[in-house]
Amino acid sequence: MHLDFSPEDLAFQQEVRTFIAENYPAELRGKQDEGDELSKEDFLSWHKVLAKKGWIAPAWPVEYGGTGWTATQKYIWSEETARADCIRLMPFGLSMVGPVIYTFGTPEQKAKYLPGILSGDVWWCQGYSEPGSGSDLASLRTKAVRDGDHYVVNGQKTWTTMAQHADWGFFLVRTDPDAKQQEGISFLLIDMKSPGITVRPIITLGGEHEVNEVWLEDVRVPVENRIYEENKGWTCAKFLLAHERTGIAGVAASKRGIEKVKTIARTELDGDKPLLANAFFKRKIAELEMDLTALEFTELRSLAGESAGKGPGPESSLLKIKGSEIQQRLTELTLEAVGHYGAPYFRGFGEGDNEHPIGPDYAHRAAPTYFNTRKTTIYGGSNEIQRNIIAKMVLGL
């Protein structure tokens, strides 16, 4: 693997840096710096800038709106957006259901749904997990019963991220209760404004309204909204999860996070010396950097494979495991570095608020981020399940 950038790659890197510097929404940057909770409009502001530029879906095939970038250019893009602290684009349309639709959907479905995903005009959520069906996703109980040219859907989904903003959702439902677990599931696209859908908030340990319960009571969904064949939705589900797990790795963002921890550790004191001079703390950072470098090379190999026409395979489970564990260790180190300044509860400034939080700016979100990141080893398929996948698919056990 050649890691030196070519002159063309260096020119692309400079183009990306200039574009971000000149086009990243200033109001969004201000909210990030203050630690304010971001609205749907905030997330979409950056999305729509990239959509206008044609840079919104680097991983998509060119015929469906992708950029046609090389693996190196995709890597540069992720590095530069992380370096500039750009917010993460919502993945549910771009990285999850979009690839499912252009891979398994009909021409009519592609024409109907893909443009709204690219433009940001349609916000998506994911209806996979249920109470009692998380890691064992195939045990899901939400039912869809055929009634003419519609399905009637009843059930409950949970941990549905940003469902309070969603226009549409993609749901796994059981269409054959008598089949084996994985063989009786279908993949449905559901309008979240449909009668019978109720979204109820779940407030996280960090105090955010990020996830929700979604109840479906006699929701009528046209059969034409089913992706792929009836009872073959598990094929779509596995394909989607492989893309999701690859994205969870978050290598570029973690690299930027390590640099932030180092900056904090140079400022915070351990006795009369900077915390970064503490040998034990320095060792923790060094171990984290080594693990992240190893993960980065694995991600680069995966990107090279995708560029050669291979989709994400079992290696996506490895990326998910190590990436999520590194994120947790990173937020733990950040909380350790800010010390007692991480204790006060801080939710960001409200409109007209003239009270200021205690401590330096970098400490405000340390504790909420730490608590929120406890979920990373669970969502997208728990890390225990990912180890089982590796044992079976890679090691042949």
Side-chain angles (χ1 to χ4, degrees), residues 58-123:
W60 287 27
V62 173
E63 60 265 35
Y64 298 121
T67 58
W69 290 345
T70 65
T72 302
Q73 288 175 316
K74 293 175 188 176
Y75 170 76
I76 289 172
W77 172 250
S78 65
E79 287 284 305
E80 292 303 317
T81 51
R83 187 187 66 84
D85 274 337
C86 299
I87 61 167
R88 184 188 180 203
L89 297 170
M90 285 293 104
F92 306 105
L94 292 170
S95 303
M96 297 184 191
V97 75
V100 168
I101 291 172
Y102 67 63
T103 301
F104 298 98
T106 65
E108 293 76 17
Q109 289 169 334
K110 296 173 187 178
K112 179 177 180 179
Y113 297 111
L114 295 182
I117 294 173
L118 292 171
S119 67
D121 291 333
V122 180
W123 182 293

Side-chain angles (χ1 to χ4, degrees), residues 131-143:
S133 297
S135 295
D136 184 17
L137 183 58
S139 68
L140 65 89
R141 292 176 292 178
T142 296
K143 295 191 297 185

Side-chain angles (χ1 to χ4, degrees), residues 19-20 31 35 58 64 67 71 100 109 129 175 194 198 226 258 264 267 273 286 293 321 331 334 336 351 362:
F19 178 81
I20 293 173
K31 284 191 172 185
Y64 298 121
T67 58
V100 168
Q109 289 169 334
S129 295
T175 43
S194 302
T198 303
R226 186 191 71 231
I258 287 177
I264 294 172
T267 304
K273 295 180 180 180
T293 299
I321 291 170
T331 58
T334 304
E336 181 180 342
E351 187 173 352
Y362 54 69

Side-chain angles (χ1 to χ4, degrees), residues 18 80 86 99 102 137 142 144-145 168 181 236 309 323 326:
T18 301
E80 292 303 317
C86 299
Y102 67 63
L137 183 58
T142 296
V145 178
W168 281 75
Q181 280 191 342
C236 301
I326 285 171

